[in-house]
Amino acid sequence: MPRWIRLALCLLAWAPGAVLAQALPAAVEAVLAEQGLPRDAVVMLVAPAEGGTARVAHRVDTPVNPASVIKLATTYAALDLLGPTFAWTTPVYFDGPVRMGVLQGNLVIKGQGDPKLVSERLWLLLQRVRGMGVHTITGDIVLDRSAFTLPPHDPAAFDGLPLRPYNAGADALLVNFKTVTVTLTPDGTRAQVRAEPALAGVQWPASVPLSAEPCGDWITGLAADFSNPGNVRFAGSFPRACGEQVWQVAFPDAAGYAARSVGAMWREVGGHLRGEVRDGSAPAGAKPAFEFSSPPLAEVIRDINKFSNNVMAQQVFLTLSLQQRGTGSLEGSREVLRNWWRERFGGEPPVTENGSGLSRNEVVTARQLAQLLQAAWVSPLMPDLVASLPALGLDGTLRRQRQNVGLAHLKTGSLNEVSGVAGYVHGVQGRRYVLVAIANHRRASGIRPAVQALVEWTARQP
């Protein structure tokens, strides 16, 4: 066992729970009362990051739904098991000879879970194909998505909002998060519509009528009709008062998104295709023409934690079992994370479902989160994890906070009736504290001002 892990376990042996529960600060109690949030609806813990007596320990062993705070477990486990420099590779095969710029066969792209194969990087991948002398493909473009074994995904199952990007499902060949950016720009009597990226076989309305209505729920006002994903319609109007607006849409034809995106991008880079873009398998035993690499894991988890990207977190979660067992599956990754937790911390691990927090079944305690944060603080991986957390009042999901700017790096989590944070507070004289605060209650959002009070109190600790 590495020395830093032994040190972490020694620190944790006398960390939060080794002392009697410490009362909530008076300022925090006052805010909770003001917000109508009962004390027995929240868990809170403050303790030195390097270990030691807890300053606050309120209901630290009570299981709660953490929402996106659970991404701390997913991302730290990935850093530990895969390493911060780990990168996903997407092998590309030429299934046939290339003669005079013509690939006489299929182009095969094998997805292996890259969470960041966004449009710009797909363009680079296909430009690499063009740079290897291919301008025409006589066969098909074949997409191999077999690296993940997943149940059917219903984007409406969680909250009935299938067009929200956070409901997009994981995919071994995840292209651009299966999302389209629709920009509406008022111009004369109509709003011009621009949809990016282009998707093969999909037509969007060129414009939509403007209205004199106030800028309220303008998305509903568009009356978008996706019943035929190849021919999107807007039956409503767009308020002139809104000015230019951007709508991030999880494309309804999720299963066909990658094929539509690759087909359109191949034309954009100047390629010609005589066949079609379809799902299939990479040639067995063949050597790829090249492998396209992702950014390193340390960079990927910054996007995941700062912006709470659910589908990227699920990609990382599934990669745990893909790398250890050869196939990415939800149950396989749950088992990998459970085994990792028991080896690192002992005791029962948190309950995970998909590793993103988009779940009503994921459960953790404040003590468990503090254990993870304290172990991370004394590990060589500390800079990578801390750098991935939103900085209070500066960036990510905490950018709009106006109090205590810069005093903390905290992972946020929010669902209906769930709200919380966990991370590090920067105290006087360079001291650092772990802080956990989560509410499960119909008025859970009331914990946010209480967190502000708790951060301020923690930062003043001698």
Side-chain angles (χ1 to χ4, degrees), residues 92-176:
V92 178
Y93 301 84
F94 293 170
D95 193 11
V98 179
R99 296 190 177 96
M100 303 294 290
V102 178
L103 171 56
Q104 298 177 351
N106 299 325
L107 177 73
V108 184
I109 303 174
K110 181 176 175 59
Q112 297 194 128
D114 186 345
K116 207 168 180 181
L117 192 58
V118 292
S119 295
E120 299 91 324
R121 299 189 63 255
L122 177 62
W123 184 88
L124 290 172
L125 184 154
L126 294 177
Q127 280 285 19
R128 177 86 176 269
V129 176
R130 293 283 285 114
M132 296 178 74
V134 177
H135 64 70
T136 298
I137 300 169
T138 63
D140 300 330
I141 298 179
V142 179
L143 308 180
D144 187 337
R145 299 156 68 183
S146 63
F148 289 169
T149 302
L150 297 170
H153 177 70
D154 178 4
F158 184 73
D159 58 7
L161 299 171
L163 299 181
R164 297 289 179 90
Y166 61 74
N167 277 319
D171 199 308
L173 188 61
L174 179 72
V175 176
N176 208 51

Side-chain angles (χ1 to χ4, degrees), residues 43 59-66 351 362-366 368 440:
V43 301
R59 304 177 72 238
V60 295
D61 291 313
T62 301
V64 290
N65 184 320
V351 176
E362 293 185 322
V363 175
V364 72
T365 68
Q368 289 169 328
N440 284 188

